[in-house]
């Protein structure tokens, strides 16, 4: 939304304003310019949560040991990165 509004208002990204997102949605990589974002590993969080719930429903399954997920910064064009 912020990137679209900058385009509408003629604000150059990242020359006048840097834009960053959260969640590493696929659209952030496909946008022009591509959007810097924080990847919190949502799929892994969802899979671990599902495994925990299923484990709690099945008396024979030991509890899932929590995994420490370290967020990562995906530095892209919207903040001056190379887009990768």
């Amino acid at each position: 939304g912020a990137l679209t509004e900058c385009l509408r208002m003629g604000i150059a990204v990242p020359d006048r304003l840097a834009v960053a997102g959260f969640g590493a949605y696929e659209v952030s990589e496909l946008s022009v310019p591509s959007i810097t974002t924080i990847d919190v590993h949502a799929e892994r969080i969802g899979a671990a949560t599902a495994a925990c719930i299923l484990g709690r429903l099945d008396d024979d399954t030991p509890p899932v040991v929590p995994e420490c997920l370290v967020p990562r910064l995906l530095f892209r064009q919207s903040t001056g990165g190379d887009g990768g």
Side-chain angles (χ1 to χ4, degrees), residues 45-70:
I45 291 170
T49 301
C52 184
I53 291 169
L54 292 173
R56 300 293 286 168
L57 294 173
D58 182 3
D59 293 335
D60 296 334
T61 304
V64 176
V65 177
E67 177 183 0
C68 181
L69 298 174
V70 178

Side-chain angles (χ1 to χ4, degrees), residues 12-20 78-80:
V13 175
D15 299 332
R16 280 192 55 211
L17 181 70
V19 174
S78 68
T79 56

Side-chain angles (χ1 to χ4, degrees), residues 2-13:
L3 187 59
T4 301
E5 188 63 13
C6 286
L7 179 63
R8 188 186 74 73
M9 296 178 67
I11 299 171
V13 175

Side-chain angles (χ1 to χ4, degrees), residues 32-54:
V32 177
S34 57
I35 302 171
T36 293
T37 187
I38 301 291
D39 181 0
V40 294
H41 310 288
E43 284 187 22
R44 288 170 61 188
I45 291 170
T49 301
C52 184
I53 291 169
L54 292 173

